[in-house]
Amino acid sequence: HDPGGFALCRQLIGALLMAALGYCREGSSIFALRRSDHRAIAKLGVFHYLNSVLFIWGFKLSTPFFASVAQLSIPVMTFVYTALAGLEVPTCLRTTGVCLIVLGCLLTALGSAHHEHAPAAGAAAGAAGSGSPPVPASLWVGVGCLALQTGSFSGLLVLQKALVQAYPVALVVAWGYSAGAVLALIGSVFDGSIHTLPANFNSPTAVYIILYSATAGAVVYYELVTFATKHLPSSFVACSVALEPLVVSLMGILFFHTPVRLLELCGYAVAMLGVAAMASVVIQEGDDAAHAPNDSRTTSPSDREDDG
């Protein structure tokens, strides 16, 4: 199916479900959005749209393995951005935790991947001049899409951190994802993918895939991520995305009886050390906040800009 049409179906259904869930949880207060925060919600919608459509295109044009490994850059991007912006202190323990998680997940991904499933870009990089076929141009386009997608997701995490301090989680998720759905609808008109909508429902399997992607892959996922962002540092939440290779590898071992490789076991151990380091940071910051003077004033993102 067309990636743009699939992304549109996923975002429209997901936005309707999120709006309904938000209204059930918050009532009419879900519309209580300050005019000064409209710009932040619009930016959040852009990040949602780019994260969705670029991942689907990157997945289609590269390989599933590469698309999964590319997500390992999200914790690093988020960590660097929050450090440069002064939102989080880049302590030695925090830096070590992020690096260990990324390294452990990378080792697990490499250990669980068969040679025939390795990304073509990696194979071709060392085969220059060896008579191997050139890397398809579409692969590099896919790599570029994934690079932009990971940057978009990092921006999403950082931006919504400020919003969930001023608004309920359900409101932020509903408004942000709905804004992304509007952009997806506009984009589908320009690229013509809106005409492929019926083709995405031409079989029961296709319908199940879209519904699963819109519910578990969008509603449940973003509700959990946004809730975690409200209570945890953005860099720690970003590390949860990097754990995908570990989960995939573990599911293969448990349900498909794939052999366990030493590299995978090393990856598990290294990643868990990173998680322990990041958890220590969160606990320490929680203790520091508990003993810090309490400022009950809640500020919106626009208030922070004005204060700056």
Side-chain angles (χ1 to χ4, degrees):
H1 297 300
D2 177 69
F6 179 83
L8 177 60
C9 293
R10 177 179 187 265
Q11 291 206 261
L12 289 178
I13 296 174
L16 290 174
L17 293 175
M18 290 178 187
L21 179 61
Y23 187 81
C24 291
R25 292 174 57 183
E26 303 297 334
S28 59
S29 63
I30 194 174
F31 302 108
L33 184 66
R34 301 185 187 95
R35 182 180 297 273
S36 57
D37 288 328
H38 287 182
R39 181 182 298 180
I41 290 294
K43 291 179 182 178
L44 193 63
V46 171
F47 286 139
H48 271 294
Y49 170 65
L50 292 178
N51 176 66
S52 177
V53 72
L54 290 175
F55 178 80
I56 294 173
W57 273 108
F59 186 89
K60 179 178 181 179
L61 296 175
S62 62
T63 67
F65 175 81
F66 192 91
S68 178
V69 173
Q71 306 310 302
L72 299 181
S73 64
I74 291 177
V76 178
M77 289 184 179
T78 306
F79 172 75
V80 172
Y81 181 82
T82 55
L84 293 177
L87 302 175
E88 296 179 10
V89 180
T91 61
C92 180
L93 190 59
R94 188 192 298 274
T95 304
T96 301
V98 171
C99 292
L100 287 176
I101 291 175
V102 173
L103 176 60
C105 294
L106 179 60
L107 291 174
T108 302
L110 292 174
S112 61
H114 296 288
H115 293 296
E116 62 269 22
H117 292 152
S130 64
S132 299
V135 179
S138 60
L139 177 63
W140 295 115
V141 175
V143 171
C145 288
L146 290 171
L148 294 174
Q149 175 261 321
T150 53
S152 299
F153 193 84
S154 296
L156 185 153
L157 288 178
V158 175
L159 178 59
Q160 73 178 9
K161 177 70 174 180
L163 287 167
V164 293
Q165 303 307 315
Y167 298 104
V169 168
L171 186 150
V172 175
V173 174
W175 277 105
Y177 202 82
S178 297
V182 172
L183 292 176
L185 183 60
I186 295 173
S188 68
V189 173
F190 282 98
D191 65 16
S193 59
I194 192 171
H195 302 296
T196 67
L197 286 183
N200 289 278
F201 299 94
N202 60 3
S203 70
T205 301
V207 173
Y208 294 152
I209 292 174
I210 290 177
L211 292 179
Y212 173 81
S213 179
T215 53
V219 178
V220 176
Y221 177 76
Y222 283 112
E223 287 281 348
L224 292 175
V225 167
T226 308
F227 179 82
T229 304
K230 184 179 181 70
H231 300 283
L232 297 170
S234 298
S235 57
F236 189 56
V237 178
C239 289
S240 66
V241 180
L243 298 178
E244 178 183 338
L246 269 70
V247 176
V248 172
S249 173
L250 187 59
M251 289 180 64
I253 294 172
L254 294 178
F255 300 109
F256 300 102
H257 308 291
T258 56
V260 181
R261 297 171 178 82
L262 178 60
L263 198 57
E264 288 181 277
L265 295 178
C266 293
Y268 292 145
V270 173
M272 290 304 104
L273 286 175
V275 170
M278 291 296 291
S280 299
V281 172
V282 174
I283 293 173
Q284 182 60 49
E285 290 181 348
D287 292 340
D288 293 342
H291 294 88
N294 183 30
D295 183 6
S296 60
R297 185 174 67 96
T298 301
T299 59
S300 68
S302 57
D303 294 332
R304 292 186 176 90
E305 292 178 2
D306 295 338
D307 291 344

